[in-house]
Amino acid sequence: MNSRIDVEERRARLAERHRLLPRTRTDDLPQIADDLVALHSSDPVTVFLSAMARMAHPSIAAVEQALYVDRSLIRHHGMRRTLWVATPPVVQLMHAAATRDLLANERRRTSQLLAASGVEDPERWLADAEKQVLADLREHGPSTAREVGQRVEALRQRLQLAPGKSYAGVQSAHTRVLNILGFAGQMFRGKPSNWINGAYRYVAAEAWLPGGLGDLDPQQAAAELAARWLQRFGPATTLDLQWWMGWTLRRTKQALTDCGAVEVNLEGGTGWLAADDAPLGAVESWVAVLPGLDPTIMGWKQRDWYLPSTSSEVFDSVGNGGPSLWIDGRVVGAWAQTKDGSIHSHYFERVAAARRREIDERIAELKSWIGDTRFSMRFPGDIHARLLGTRTLRGAPARRADKDAAT
């Protein structure tokens, strides 16, 4: 086992490699995405705020240009079934190492729903439906699910969801067909009506990415993806990598072996570095105001080294990290936008006035980026309901929710 890497070095690596230091900011959006491996996109707001937190000249228009005009960034299902935004080479790796594993189960589940809804030959129906949707997208270009459903009348089959249950519902089959085509890499999500909206238009993959997602070897793709992740998030534990990728333990260990990961000693256990990892010295002091599901807060399963116990409420019950405040590699608080556009913040511990002023400046910057736009959190942490005033705040160090001076 190699030499020990302490918590302070891990926090320094996080700051430098995730471009959270002022001197590391850049307007090269593909580089930002690569330096985080990929940007979380389950909440469309995350992509924009995560990117702009690392840009020298933050711009919503610049992020949209990369996503929908240059197409230097692509949105695709990947690790843990979620949506990500990444450069085309990384999307190809994700697709081979993670997404393709999801497809068979997604088709099987949809076939079961079709059969339960009265379709006699669900597999044949589904195969034909996929062809019809792709043909429609190729003919008409980027389209919403509603537009596809209106044009392809044969796909208006209604699916009964959880019949007999209190939460029973009905869904049009073409919506699930679009989802399957996404998992299959035959379709991408295009531009929605605005940057905070998750109602995307859909586009045939080959129209945006000539040659599509290719057919990479899954084991080789997993090794390269693991190496990229260790370069940006290492040192990290086996459990961290397994959780981030959504892999089995066996596949995780195989990927670590295949990418030549180097074993190191961490506080509390064993970790891994990329084979070509270079040592990193101390970095300057820094603060950050990051959105919910930002790659930095979501990068590890074992979070004690950057998430003090007092700040655990920034996550929800299933591990989704909400909007957070950072000082020198630690989560020290949370924030949220209210319906009137104000930014409210809450500190989990006592923070010096000078450091709070730094965070106030970053919040003021964030407000200048988004202007009059209002958005809600799709995955709020346990603190955020109280932060927005719907429940009473607890905790002596924080005392109350603070309406930030930047509002």
Side-chain angles (χ1 to χ4, degrees):
M1 184 178 294
N2 289 344
S3 60
R4 185 170 180 266
I5 294 182
D6 62 21
V7 167
E8 291 305 315
E9 183 175 349
R10 295 186 76 181
R11 292 173 182 168
R13 286 167 173 264
L14 176 155
E16 182 86 38
R17 296 181 177 179
H18 289 199
R19 294 190 177 273
L20 294 173
L21 304 171
R23 62 176 169 79
T24 62
R25 294 175 195 162
T26 178
D27 292 329
D28 186 337
L29 286 160
Q31 187 63 59
I32 289 173
D34 277 347
D35 284 344
L36 295 162
V37 182
L39 300 170
H40 281 264
S41 187
S42 297
D43 186 339
V45 172
T46 298
V47 175
F48 288 83
L49 297 189
S50 290
M52 291 193 293
R54 297 163 171 91
M55 291 177 70
H57 303 92
S59 166
I60 290 170
V63 180
E64 290 188 321
Q65 174 84 15
L67 280 167
Y68 308 122
V69 181
D70 300 339
R71 298 164 194 164
S72 56
L73 297 175
I74 299 290
R75 181 178 281 107
H76 187 49
H77 278 287
M79 295 70 69
R80 305 192 308 278
R81 296 181 58 87
T82 196
L83 280 172
W84 301 79
V85 163
T87 57
V90 174
V91 170
Q92 290 173 330
L93 292 173
M94 286 166 37
H95 185 69
T99 317
R100 289 206 307 243
D101 290 342
L102 307 172
L103 185 57
N105 185 61
E106 197 67 22
R107 282 203 173 107
R108 182 167 53 251
R109 183 182 175 196
T110 300
S111 292
Q112 290 171 347
L113 289 171
L114 287 165
S117 301
V119 175
E120 291 186 2
D121 190 345
E123 292 184 5
R124 181 177 179 179
W125 188 98
L126 186 55
D128 185 58
E130 291 177 33
K131 293 178 183 177
Q132 290 188 57
V133 169
L134 281 176
D136 181 80
L137 291 175
R138 288 166 181 149
E139 178 180 356
H140 297 281
S143 304
T144 65
R146 180 183 180 86
E147 289 168 343
V148 173
Q150 288 174 337
R151 291 193 297 259
V152 188
E153 184 175 356
L155 302 187
R156 295 178 192 169
Q157 171 70 41
R158 308 295 282 176
L159 299 180
Q160 302 297 321
L161 306 180
K165 304 291 186 180
S166 60
Y167 48 88
V170 178
Q171 182 184 55
S172 293
H174 75 274
T175 302
R176 292 198 63 83
V177 174
L178 286 165
N179 203 44
I180 287 172
L181 289 172
F183 282 118
Q186 294 181 285
M187 182 207 71
F188 294 141
R189 284 163 171 76
K191 187 175 182 179
S193 58
N194 58 64
W195 68 276
I196 66 171
N197 191 342
Y200 301 104
R201 292 179 175 87
Y202 297 90
V203 59
E206 71 269 16
W208 273 23
L209 188 63
L213 293 179
D215 190 26
L216 299 178
D217 176 76
Q219 184 171 334
Q220 293 178 358
E224 184 171 342
L225 193 60
R228 283 175 175 261
W229 185 82
L230 285 175
Q231 288 165 0
R232 313 316 304 176
F233 291 84
T237 67
T238 302
L239 181 61
D240 289 330
L241 178 60
Q242 180 187 5
W243 175 82
W244 195 89
M245 295 291 187
W247 288 338
T248 63
L249 181 58
R250 179 178 180 181
R251 190 168 193 180
T252 304
K253 290 181 176 180
Q254 183 66 56
L256 287 168
T257 298
D258 291 343
C259 74
V262 177
E263 190 174 350
V264 294
N265 186 12
L266 304 177
E267 292 186 15
T270 300
W272 302 94
L273 289 175
D276 58 353
D277 185 87
L280 180 69
V283 299
E284 61 268 33
S285 184
W286 61 280
V287 302
V289 176
L290 300 180
L293 300 182
D294 185 86
T296 297
I297 197 168
M298 294 293 292
W300 299 267
K301 176 68 171 178
Q302 296 175 301
R303 300 163 173 150
D304 290 350
W305 60 277
Y306 69 92
L307 189 73
S309 59
T310 54
S311 58
S312 60
E313 288 181 304
V314 77
F315 283 84
D316 66 15
S317 61
V318 296
N320 295 310
S324 55
L325 305 175
W326 292 69
I327 295 179
D328 297 337
R330 299 174 66 251
V331 175
V332 299
W335 66 274
Q337 185 195 56
T338 63
K339 291 182 179 180
D340 67 1
S342 300
I343 302 292
H344 286 204
S345 60
H346 171 77
Y347 288 90
F348 297 112
E349 58 189 55
R350 297 188 184 279
V351 174
R355 306 314 304 275
R356 290 178 63 135
R357 285 194 294 271
E358 292 180 63
I359 288 180
D360 289 347
E361 291 172 1
R362 294 297 285 159
I363 290 177
E365 290 179 3
L366 185 150
K367 286 178 64 66
S368 73
W369 307 337
I370 63 178
D372 295 330
T373 301
R374 306 286 183 268
F375 58 85
S376 58
M377 288 172 284
R378 295 199 174 188
F379 303 96
D382 291 343
I383 185 63
H384 293 94
R386 301 199 301 276
L387 179 58
L388 293 174
T390 57
R391 292 170 61 189
T392 303
L393 281 164
R394 299 191 302 269
R399 296 188 300 281
R400 63 184 179 88
D402 299 310
K403 187 173 182 179
D404 200 278
T407 62

